[in-house]
Amino acid sequence: MRIATWNINSIRARAERALGVLDRWDLDVLLLQETKCKPEQFPAEPFEAAGYQVAAAGLNQWNGVAIISRIGLDNVEIGFPGQPGFAKEDGAGALLSEPVVEARAIRARVGTGSRGIDVWSLYIPNGRSYNDPHFRYKLEFLRRLRAAVGEQLAADPARRILLAGDWNVAPEDTDVWDIDFFRNDVGMYVTDEERAVFNAFGKPGTGTEGDFAGPALTELTRGADGADYTFWDYQRLRFPKNHGMRIDFGWASPELADLFAAAHIDRDERKGKGASDHVPVIMEFDAEA
């Protein structure tokens, strides 16, 4: 079974590229982020003609997530229990709007074998800057996601879960092309706070008050072949210079991690006119589709 995650940066602009990735990698499931459209605007027809089902979530031309599957698409859920919303604030921190739960998470059960997989397509908020309300929103989003998944696994430790997408975190110094540039000039993606909430997915919870429950998850893509990075900005010739970042990952529950076989980064997808600034990350499992 092959499952890929990809921040496509507009599905309407890159539907043909998505179809090409499905064919080239013989994918069973493709998890998309930053689709930038409402569900009714999603170009589902060519995917359905190719034998895939589509589930999408989106509120406007921003954010948006989707799941494309040829091995079933059941129990679709938009968002996760406790998912926080984002509210605009003034300079003093007073709310200027009611919190809005953005289209950043979608789940579905895939697989036609005896046991399916709950796959999540996730688009974690960008923190923007250290003092921006988006930074606090990002940390809270990740904390609540970890708590929600931990609760599910505490109730059913054998559940097969994959959390994959654009995490907007570079958990190791080698995940960015120049760590000093990011620490001194950018300040996001590599902060201790962001790394701590990301790495919490790889730790077991105690289930005590103030702590999440459930077993540790396993990040699958660290040893992926094909490239060191999954994102190259459009500006300043970042791709030709290989000034990239590794911010797209997949976390698996223990039961699913035991079936993991290999991971690949499709660097070639960043080439040519009209490419997304991210590339697909493919995960292979020794499991019946």
Side-chain angles (χ1 to χ4, degrees):
M1 181 186 297
R2 286 184 173 179
I3 302 175
T5 180
W6 185 18
N7 179 323
I8 197 167
N9 192 18
S10 178
I11 182 60
R12 289 181 288 180
R14 298 182 173 86
E16 288 299 320
R17 279 184 171 265
L19 288 164
V21 167
L22 288 169
D23 180 66
R24 183 165 68 251
W25 287 96
D26 192 24
L27 295 179
D28 296 297
V29 180
L30 177 58
L31 311 175
L32 296 177
Q33 302 87 45
E34 209 170 352
T35 53
K36 295 185 175 180
C37 66
K38 298 177 182 178
E40 60 269 23
Q41 296 172 317
F42 194 101
E45 292 82 1
F47 298 98
E48 293 169 347
Y52 290 83
Q53 295 173 273
V54 176
L59 300 177
N60 46 40
Q61 73 273 27
W62 309 111
N63 308 321
V65 284
I67 300 172
I68 300 174
S69 172
R70 68 179 180 188
I71 55 172
L73 193 60
D74 301 313
N75 304 326
V76 175
E77 178 183 352
I78 295 173
F80 56 86
Q83 180 177 330
F86 177 75
K88 294 181 179 179
E89 302 176 4
D90 64 15
L95 296 183
L96 297 175
S97 64
E98 291 296 319
V100 174
V101 177
E102 299 176 316
R104 293 184 175 274
I106 187 171
R107 180 197 70 85
R109 175 67 60 89
V110 302
T112 58
S114 58
R115 298 184 59 195
I117 299 173
D118 290 336
V119 295
W120 283 93
S121 180
L122 299 163
Y123 182 34
I124 309 304
N126 188 312
R128 299 195 179 183
S129 66
Y130 199 82
N131 295 316
D132 193 290
H134 281 87
F135 185 72
R136 299 190 299 276
Y137 170 49
K138 176 181 187 175
L139 298 182
E140 186 64 14
F141 187 100
L142 285 166
R143 290 190 191 103
R144 293 197 188 183
L145 175 62
R146 182 64 184 96
V149 174
E151 185 175 335
Q152 293 174 357
L153 287 171
D156 181 7
R159 193 168 179 175
R160 295 176 177 177
I161 296 177
L162 177 65
L163 308 174
D166 177 359
W167 293 77
N168 272 315
V169 178
E172 297 186 8
D173 289 358
T174 53
D175 291 333
V176 294
W177 62 274
D178 184 344
I179 188 61
D180 291 330
F181 171 81
F182 280 83
R183 283 179 175 154
N184 298 332
D185 296 333
V186 179
M188 289 295 95
Y189 308 103
V190 301
T191 65
D192 291 342
E193 294 92 334
E194 290 167 302
R195 288 178 168 181
V197 292
F198 179 87
N199 290 327
F201 287 81
K203 299 177 181 179
T206 63
T208 57
E209 185 176 356
D211 189 21
F212 57 84
L217 281 70
T218 300
E219 204 291 302
L220 304 179
T221 71
R222 177 55 60 189
D225 60 28
D228 294 324
Y229 308 124
T230 63
F231 166 88
W232 295 262
D233 195 283
Y234 291 126
Q235 307 299 318
R236 302 180 183 179
L237 298 175
R238 293 298 189 207
F239 183 61
K241 295 177 181 178
N242 199 31
H243 290 178
M245 302 169 59
R246 189 175 208 158
I247 54 178
D248 302 86
F249 300 97
W251 287 97
S253 63
E255 183 79 12
L256 182 60
D258 286 344
L259 302 174
F260 175 68
H264 317 277
I265 296 172
D266 186 2
R267 189 180 188 277
D268 287 345
E269 183 55 40
R270 183 61 175 81
K271 299 176 181 179
K273 184 178 180 180
S276 171
D277 44 7
H278 292 250
V279 295
V281 180
I282 299 93
M283 293 157 280
E284 296 187 18
F285 300 90
D286 292 327
E288 58 185 58

